[in-house]
């Protein structure tokens, strides 16, 4: 099976600063990783993904880093904005199902 | 294009009752997934349906069941409700999930179930 854990349940960040959210997974055979954002009252929304044959992938203001040696995944958000306030989940795809971490609540301070 | 829709949005039941939640996938999607999100926790995978068949199941008791209809909509049934079943139930859909490569799942807004 797969267990997914997040290092910090909450993160408070100053508007304009960079945010880093971390995630650890257990199954070394896992090969697909996704970050989701969930705003209050909504379902999770896809942010960015990465496959195990990569160690970095960049999107618009977001970067995902994958360290397969230590089974660690991180999401970096550049120049954090108030609209980035949400719960962020990492998810690992394995055995035809997604396993989610518990989520990190990001609060952006003005 | 309409996203994934779920009904009802909120539901209050008492312990021991039964509940049915409904999900309509994005047009053209054949796979439907159900997840349970208890307060403050991550999503727990419940069920995956594709082309009318149950393809995978999470670690939940048999009183959690469901089905997928020919139009690819889906129902989640929970029998003999317990207090700990109180949660947000999320449905997601994707194009067929039968291939090795992951197909992005699009989530609905969820049904908030409260069991008293």
């Amino acid at each position: 099976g797969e267990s997914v854990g997040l290092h910090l349940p909450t993160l408070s960040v100053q508007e304009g600063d960079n945010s880093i959210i971390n995630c650890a997974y257990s199954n070394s055979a896992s090969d697909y990783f996704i970050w989701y954002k969930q705003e209050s009252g909504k379902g999770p929304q896809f942010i960015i993904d990465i496959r195990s044959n990569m160690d970095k992938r960049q999107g618009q203001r977001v970067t995902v880093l994958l360290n397969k040696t230590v089974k660690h995944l991180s999401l970096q958000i550049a120049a954090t904005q108030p609209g980035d306030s949400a719960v962020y989940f990492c998810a690992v795809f394995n055995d035809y199902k997604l396993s989610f971490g518990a989520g990190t609540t990001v609060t952006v301070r003005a | 294009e309409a996203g994934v829709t779920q009904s009802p949005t909120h539901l209050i039941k008492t312990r021991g009752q039964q509940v049915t939640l409904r999900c309509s996938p994005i047009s053209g999607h054949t796979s439907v997934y159900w997840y349970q999100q208890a307060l403050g926790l991550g999503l727990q995978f419940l069920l995956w349906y594709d082309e009318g068949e149950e393809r995978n199941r999470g670690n939940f008791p048999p009183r959690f069941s469901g089905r997928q209809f020919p139009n690819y909509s889906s129902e989640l049934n929970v029998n003999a409700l317990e207090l700990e079943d109180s949660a947000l139930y999320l449905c997601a859909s994707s194009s067929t999930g039968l291939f090795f490569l992951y197909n992005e799942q699009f989530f609905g807004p969820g049904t908030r179930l409260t069991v008293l």
Side-chain angles (χ1 to χ4, degrees):
Chain A
E2 174 71 79
S3 76
V4 183
L6 277 159
H7 295 183
L8 285 175
T10 61
L11 177 67
S12 179
V13 60
Q14 186 69 38
E15 182 178 354
D17 287 353
N18 297 334
S19 304
I20 299 177
I21 306 166
N22 296 301
C23 182
Y25 62 96
S26 64
N27 190 338
S28 57
S30 298
D31 59 4
Y32 189 79
F33 308 86
I34 309 147
W35 281 99
Y36 284 92
K37 172 185 180 182
Q38 187 176 24
E39 296 173 286
S40 181
K42 298 182 180 179
Q45 183 179 17
F46 173 92
I47 301 173
I48 192 168
D49 60 0
I50 189 168
R51 298 191 187 278
S52 59
N53 61 352
M54 304 171 69
D55 52 23
K56 180 179 180 179
R57 188 160 188 231
Q58 288 183 290
Q60 188 177 12
R61 285 200 305 116
V62 294
T63 300
V64 56
L65 299 177
L66 176 63
N67 185 329
K68 294 181 288 295
T69 303
V70 295
K71 292 181 280 189
H72 181 270
L73 187 69
S74 69
L75 176 71
Q76 300 177 2
I77 305 173
T80 311
Q81 302 170 359
D84 295 327
S85 293
V87 181
Y88 291 80
F89 295 96
C90 66
V92 180
F93 185 67
N94 221 324
D95 193 26
Y96 292 106
K97 67 180 182 182
L98 282 175
S99 297
F100 284 79
T104 291
T105 301
V106 173
T107 303
V108 181
R109 305 188 307 272
Chain B
E1 179 182 305
V4 177
T5 59
Q6 293 186 244
S7 63
T9 53
H10 294 85
L11 206 50
I12 299 175
K13 292 285 188 178
T14 56
R15 214 167 26 170
Q17 285 188 309
Q18 178 266 343
V19 69
T20 298
L21 311 181
R22 296 178 176 82
C23 172
S24 292
I26 291 172
S27 177
H29 285 183
T30 61
S31 276
V32 171
Y33 309 81
W34 287 95
Y35 294 87
Q36 182 195 66
Q37 185 177 25
L39 190 64
L41 298 179
L43 285 71
Q44 301 295 319
F45 169 74
L46 266 165
L47 291 159
W48 167 31
Y49 292 96
D50 184 83
E51 296 285 359
E53 300 286 331
E54 182 180 303
R55 302 294 184 182
N56 202 358
R57 184 182 181 87
N59 295 325
F60 281 85
R63 57 190 187 83
F64 287 84
S65 65
R67 55 180 172 168
Q68 186 179 34
F69 298 97
N71 67 355
Y72 304 114
S73 67
S74 177
E75 284 182 351
L76 174 69
N77 298 294
V78 187
N79 293 322
L81 283 167
E82 301 179 1
L83 296 179
E84 53 265 35
D85 296 333
S86 293
L88 181 68
Y89 289 85
L90 289 158
C91 170
S93 74
S94 76
S95 52
T96 182
L98 288 177
F99 301 110
F100 178 77
L101 293 178
Y102 171 78
N103 294 304
E104 182 180 346
Q105 296 181 19
F106 296 83
F107 285 83
T111 293
R112 173 73 62 188
L113 172 64
T114 302
V115 182
L116 303 176

